């Protein structure tokens, strides 16, 4: 039997034992409830017999015991009915007895809680004793509900822990695969660099080798990105304007002319603590997401602005737009509106911005059919 099979068997054994324990607890609770109900019924029978003794008493009747039984009832509400009229009551709130409507309503509740006890004090003459549940019975009645709620919350906690553990395992697996991919790409990449050097010695247009070198540098950047997954990145003080424009302009040269790129940035440099490789990945993900939203045709605008403590990068497209209810879910792993894709781009972008750079990313505004603006907010490097 494999480890996973043994783990599944153990899990089901634990679940079965837990279910049996819960069933026993609920059954015992129900049994105790019935025992207390029966004991209160016996007490009310004694109370009814004591009442019968008082009704039929004469000068020779010893009333000490009946009176003691009646007076000892301090918790069970009682109404004594004769010819459809309340002739006495015990442990019933005074405000209930102030008007006939509230009295009848209270009596109806007592009828629903317990069967009445008929007191026949003479042939053809009787009284009816209606009684309710004591405070202890009422508390015990809700105990199984409270127990089930606690069990439900405990189960939810276990499920959440199991789900988190599973996700952590999956994250480790993906991180390991990413690092291995970066390692595997490194070998042919080194070979390509060597081939470029050979091409330079031949009589080949220098612009061709220049473009090949740019693509090789891009591959090296991508390899570096994957190697950093699952690791704590090193942040460096960089000019956020230059780093952003380098990636933006590189992508501009690689996409169709049907996409109009534009940008507005401050003239001066803005220092910020970033990881250049991961920041480049962030901009690339937002640009590619925007181009996908425009179906490869439209206008894309990048704007960088700053205030006293933050630098804000806005990426605006003229795509299909998204509804307000998707403003948060769009950053969840697996969420995508495309027929193809894993739905990881924006999720990864959010993680890079918020977890690695201590920044914020959000949908600044969006309108169906007109486009969307994403905003990244990063902390400036304060001198």
């Amino acid at each position: 039997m494999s480890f996973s099979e043994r783990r599944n068997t153990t899990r089901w054994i634990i679940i079965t034992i837990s279910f049996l324990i819960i069933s026993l607890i609920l059954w015992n609770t129900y049994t105790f409830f019935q025992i207390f109900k029966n004991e209160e019924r016996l007490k009310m029978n004694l109370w009814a017999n004591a009442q019968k003794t008082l009704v039929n008493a004469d000068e020779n009747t010893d009333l000490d015991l009946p009176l003691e039984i009646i007076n000892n009832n301090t918790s069970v509400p009682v109404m004594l009915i004769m010819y459809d009229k309340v002739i006495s009551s015990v442990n019933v709130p005074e405000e209930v007895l102030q008007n006939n409507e509230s009295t009848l309503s209270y009596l109806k509740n007592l009828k629903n809680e317990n069967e009445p006890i008929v007191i026949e004090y003479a042939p053809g003459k009787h009284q009816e004793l209606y009684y309710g549940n004591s405070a202890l019975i009422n508390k015990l009645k809700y105990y199984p509900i409270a127990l089930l709620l606690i069990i439900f919350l405990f189960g939810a906690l276990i499920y959440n822990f199991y789900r988190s553990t599973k996700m952590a395992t999956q994250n480790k697996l993906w991180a390991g695969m990413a690092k291995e991919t970066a390692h595997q790409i490194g070998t042919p990449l080194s070979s390509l660099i060597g081939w470029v050097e050979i091409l330079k010695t031949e009589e080949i247009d220098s612009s061709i080798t220049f473009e090949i070198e740019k693509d090789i540098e891009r591959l090296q950047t991508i390899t570096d990105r994957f190697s950093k997954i699952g690791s704590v990145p090193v942040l460096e003080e960089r000019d956020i304007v230059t780093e952003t424009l380098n990636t933006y302009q590189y992508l501009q040269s690689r996409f169709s002319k049907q996409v109009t790129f534009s940008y507005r940035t401050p003239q001066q440099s803005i220092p910020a603590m970033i990881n250049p490789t991961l920041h480049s990945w962030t901009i690339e993900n937002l640009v590619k997401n925007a181009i996908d939203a425009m179906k490869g045709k439209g206008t894309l605008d990048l704007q960088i602005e700053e205030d006293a403590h933050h630098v804000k990068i806005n990426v605006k497209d003229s795509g299909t737009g998204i509804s307000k209810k998707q403003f948060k879910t769009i950053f969840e792993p697996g969420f995508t509106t495309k027929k193809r894709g894993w739905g990881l781009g924006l999720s990864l972008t959010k993680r890079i911005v918020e977890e690695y750079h201590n920044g914020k990313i959000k949908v600044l505004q969006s309108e169906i059919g007109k486009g969307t603006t994403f905003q990244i907010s990063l902390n400036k490097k304060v001198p």
Side-chain angles (χ1 to χ4, degrees), residues 16-192:
T16 303
I17 293 174
S18 301
F19 178 77
L20 291 175
I21 293 174
I22 292 168
S23 300
L24 287 173
I25 292 174
L26 292 176
W27 173 255
N28 284 332
T29 303
Y30 175 79
T31 303
F32 290 148
F33 181 79
Q34 293 301 318
I35 290 172
F36 288 139
K37 287 277 288 185
N38 291 334
E39 286 185 353
E40 283 199 352
R41 184 77 178 182
L42 291 174
K43 290 179 181 179
M44 288 299 99
N45 278 320
L46 290 175
W47 199 95
N49 289 330
Q51 178 66 22
K52 180 179 179 180
T53 301
L54 288 179
V55 172
N56 295 326
D58 54 27
E59 63 275 6
N60 296 320
T61 304
D62 185 4
L63 300 179
D64 291 341
L65 183 59
L67 288 174
E68 184 178 355
I69 292 174
I70 291 175
N71 292 331
N72 279 341
N73 177 26
T74 58
S75 60
V76 180
V78 173
M79 277 187 170
L80 199 59
I81 307 299
M82 186 175 181
Y83 303 124
D84 297 327
K85 292 184 179 180
V86 180
I87 59 175
S88 68
S89 62
V90 179
N91 300 322
V92 177
E94 289 293 332
E95 59 269 17
V96 172
L97 303 173
Q98 289 178 357
N99 61 77
N100 189 52
E101 185 177 347
S102 59
T103 301
L104 291 176
S105 177
Y106 192 83
L107 180 60
K108 183 179 179 180
N109 291 333
L110 295 184
K111 290 179 180 179
N112 292 331
E113 290 183 359
N114 296 288
E115 287 291 327
I117 298 174
V118 178
I119 305 172
E120 188 173 359
Y121 60 90
K125 296 181 179 182
H126 66 273
Q127 298 174 347
E128 293 176 341
L129 174 66
Y130 291 91
Y131 68 98
N133 294 326
S134 64
L136 177 62
I137 290 290
N138 286 329
K139 289 179 181 178
L140 193 60
K141 182 170 59 177
Y142 295 108
Y143 177 75
I145 299 175
L147 182 62
L148 287 174
L149 181 61
I150 293 172
I151 292 169
F152 173 78
L153 293 175
F154 183 70
L157 182 64
I158 293 176
Y159 171 77
N160 189 44
F161 173 77
Y162 170 74
R163 187 168 178 267
S164 299
T165 304
K166 187 176 180 180
M167 289 181 64
T169 303
Q170 290 176 342
N171 287 338
K172 289 181 180 179
L173 176 62
W174 284 112
M177 290 179 64
K179 290 178 181 294
E180 180 63 20
T181 301
H183 177 71
Q184 294 294 333
I185 292 176
T187 302
L189 194 57
S190 300
S191 178
L192 283 174

Side-chain angles (χ1 to χ4, degrees), residues 238-262:
R238 292 293 185 97
D239 176 19
I240 197 71
V241 177
T242 301
E243 295 296 332
T244 303
L245 285 181
N246 284 343
T247 302
Y248 190 73
Q249 291 171 343
Y250 173 84
L251 294 170
Q252 180 179 0
S253 65
R254 292 298 188 271
F255 279 101
S256 167
K257 299 300 181 182
Q258 290 183 314
V259 179
T260 302
F261 284 75
S262 63

